[in-house]
Amino acid sequence: MLPFRLHLKPGESPYRQVIYAVKKAIASRRMRPGDPFPSVRKLSQALKINPNTAHKAVAALIAEGLLEVRPGIGTTVAEAQTMSTQERRELLNEPLEHLVVEAKRLGLSRSDLAAALEEHWALLSSPNGRDESDDKKGTTDDSRD
């Protein structure tokens, strides 16, 4: 069993989907520092993806500092890196610009965007990282957003 949820969507890069699912699991605290991460082999088998794709995703997560390889233990979730608020905000500049451009393209107001942001923030902040209404809908698929 994987420490994150992912249902691969056809037509989208499995590599990017794996990275996003892991980042989301870490952000929602479903995966915490020190938690074990599956081997490339187990990851590729569980997701039915090419081992090279799994290796590339794990390598990228290690390079970003989200995972670390610990001799004698294996790959684990890394401790959060210490950065200033300004450094963290600068990392979001490009994704935020894309978000604002897309919201404006769709005709959303600033308040609509703020409400959507609050909703997603709450989803990731809930104890199990998902909206309780997911249980009522019968879905636990994190790949939908």
Side-chain angles (χ1 to χ4, degrees):
M1 179 154 167
L2 296 176
F4 58 91
R5 293 188 302 240
L6 174 62
H7 300 283
L8 292 170
K9 296 184 223 173
E12 292 186 30
S13 164
Y15 163 79
R16 291 180 196 265
Q17 290 181 66
V18 169
I19 289 174
Y20 180 75
V22 172
K23 286 180 177 182
K24 188 172 181 178
I26 291 170
S28 65
R29 302 195 42 83
R30 269 189 244 124
M31 291 173 54
R32 298 173 187 263
D35 284 354
F37 195 79
S39 68
V40 167
R41 182 178 178 189
K42 286 182 182 178
L43 185 63
S44 67
Q45 289 174 342
L47 295 174
K48 296 177 178 59
I49 61 174
N50 187 302
N52 292 331
T53 301
H55 181 270
K56 183 179 170 185
V58 170
L61 291 163
I62 290 169
E64 284 191 50
L66 297 171
L67 299 179
E68 64 184 352
V69 178
R70 300 174 69 191
I73 295 174
T75 305
T76 62
V77 177
E79 292 289 333
Q81 298 174 353
T82 319
M83 291 186 221
S84 70
T85 301
Q86 182 62 34
E87 290 171 320
R88 291 190 306 256
R89 287 183 69 180
E90 286 174 9
L91 287 173
L92 285 179
N93 281 340
E94 187 175 340
L96 282 173
E97 181 180 348
H98 287 273
L99 177 64
V100 170
V101 166
E102 198 58 22
K104 284 184 167 254
R105 185 186 70 77
L106 294 170
L108 293 174
S109 68
R110 183 188 284 189
S111 61
D112 290 338
L113 179 58
L117 179 63
E118 283 296 325
E119 182 180 323
H120 281 274
W121 190 275
L123 284 173
L124 287 175
S125 300
S126 69
N128 60 2
R130 62 187 175 133
D131 187 6
E132 293 76 32
S133 63
D134 281 349
D135 293 330
K136 294 174 188 128
K137 291 184 243 174
T139 181
T140 59
D141 181 3
D142 281 344
S143 63
R144 62 186 151 85
D145 41 22

